Amino acid sequence: MPYKTILVSLNDVAQAGTLIDVASQLTQKNEAHIIGHYVVPAVTVYPEVGMALMPSVFEGYQIYFKSRLAAVKQIFEERMRRDGFTGEWREVESAYPDIASSLVDHALTTDLIIASQVESESQSEIETDLVVRILMESGRPVLVIPRNWQPRPLGELIVCGLNGTKEAARSLFDAMPLLREAREVRLVWVDPYRQRLISGDIPGAEAATALSRHGVKAIAESMMADGRNAGEALLMRAHDLGADLLIMGAYAHSRMQQYVFGGATNYVLENMTVPVLMSH
């Protein structure tokens, strides 16, 4: 099935043009409806400790996003008119003091979410765990765009990470609309000797056969990480092949007050050099 409803998160103001460009590319291939999503968060209230009776109120995030709303809306609507895609501007006055909570609420009925990479030292005013929360809470695939990405055709040469997990399987089939349009698809299994019972004699061969039934011609290959984590190895392979998209599962080790992702997922989220479609 093609992507028919795509939500693009536009609160990363500096990246708005790039994110809309990616969304526009995808809607041309899928005849999708694009939702330009922008959250104005509620004020943050901090309870005081000690004898004070009045809590502290922080309005900085709300003021920041209100002041930039009109400019981002204009970019979205101008691109919609120029590129001729079907879409809607969705401006949310949130009851939450963060971006992720409202974004997840609106993403539950979409086929795909597009969001910007948020680095740990980000100056974008967006919470650094935004992408992590979308992945863990929405149940939808997320296409994450690197901060330094220069808009160009997306999904012509795709690298897919395999490792025999449900997350990898889900990401692979969540990416089907992109895989069907790709010129070349590589299924890369990093260190298959670690999962000999499930990787088989030719790691990835069964996945390639399954994809072929959908009209996708994929090449299965394995690679040794040589001391790197799997995320670093996949990014290296994507770079060597000149890939413009990486598909991989998002793996979490625990769920507590904050989500803790595994080393490979964290590495890719911090160091991505190409767009990455992730599913959990």
Side-chain angles (χ1 to χ4, degrees):
M1 291 176 58
Y3 302 128
K4 286 299 185 181
T5 306
I6 299 174
L7 183 147
V8 53
S9 174
L10 296 175
N11 276 89
D12 194 335
V13 177
Q15 289 289 92
T18 298
L19 296 172
I20 295 168
D21 182 88
V22 172
S24 180
Q25 283 191 52
L26 293 179
T27 192
Q28 291 171 25
K29 294 180 179 180
N30 294 271
E31 298 182 353
H33 179 84
I34 304 298
I35 300 171
H37 193 272
Y38 191 93
V39 178
V40 177
V43 297
T44 305
V45 180
Y46 297 100
E48 287 286 0
V49 177
M51 299 300 293
L53 298 178
M54 293 297 292
S56 296
V57 176
F58 178 68
E59 299 180 352
Y61 293 144
Q62 186 181 75
I63 292 169
Y64 175 87
F65 288 114
K66 276 186 175 180
S67 68
R68 287 155 176 80
L69 186 156
V72 177
K73 181 180 180 181
Q74 182 178 3
I75 294 170
F76 179 79
E77 292 182 338
E78 286 181 353
R79 288 297 300 275
M80 186 164 59
R81 286 191 294 269
R82 190 193 80 180
D83 295 354
F85 61 80
T86 302
E88 64 177 283
W89 171 256
R90 191 173 294 182
E91 176 186 319
V92 181
E93 293 280 347
S94 180
Y96 309 105
D98 58 8
I99 306 301
S101 298
S102 290
L103 182 57
V104 168
D105 287 348
H106 287 252
L108 297 175
T109 54
T110 65
D111 297 310
L112 179 70
I113 305 164
I114 300 174
S116 176
Q117 176 193 22
V118 184
E119 297 165 312
S120 57
E121 303 299 323
S122 173
Q123 303 297 314
S124 65
E125 304 298 337
I126 295 175
E127 57 265 26
T128 56
D129 65 346
L130 177 71
V131 172
V132 173
R133 286 193 56 196
I134 300 170
L135 280 163
M136 294 296 293
E137 297 175 25
S138 71
R140 313 309 303 137
V142 182
L143 178 59
V144 189
I145 308 301
R147 297 201 64 80
N148 60 353
W149 178 251
Q150 297 299 315
R152 56 185 182 271
L154 179 75
E156 294 190 353
L157 199 167
I158 302 176
V159 167
C160 306
L162 299 182
N163 64 357
T165 64
K166 65 180 179 62
E167 291 87 353
R170 182 170 182 180
S171 69
L172 187 66
F173 287 91
D174 279 347
M176 190 64 71
L178 293 162
L179 298 176
R180 282 174 169 162
E181 298 291 330
R183 170 176 52 84
E184 183 176 343
V185 176
R186 296 290 187 103
L187 308 180
V188 180
W189 198 308
V190 178
D191 288 343
Y193 68 90
R194 297 180 184 274
Q195 301 103 359
R196 283 200 175 107
L197 292 178
I198 54 177
S199 62
D201 294 334
I202 305 176
E206 191 167 349
T209 300
L211 290 178
S212 71
R213 299 186 184 108
H214 292 273
V216 177
K217 295 180 179 179
I219 300 170
E221 62 178 73
S222 58
M223 70 176 293
M224 299 298 107
D226 294 329
R228 306 175 183 87
N229 68 52
E232 186 177 2
L234 287 171
L235 285 175
M236 184 179 71
R237 187 61 179 146
H239 178 269
D240 291 345
L241 291 169
D244 49 55
L245 181 63
L246 173 62
I247 311 295
M248 64 179 288
Y251 313 102
H253 290 325
S254 64
R255 240 189 235 203
M256 303 193 56
Q257 289 285 338
Q258 292 182 332
Y259 296 119
V260 180
F261 270 178
T265 308
N266 268 331
Y267 185 91
V268 170
L269 288 174
E270 283 287 332
N271 300 281
M272 61 175 61
T273 52
V274 296
V276 182
L277 189 146
M278 289 184 169
S279 296
H280 174 70

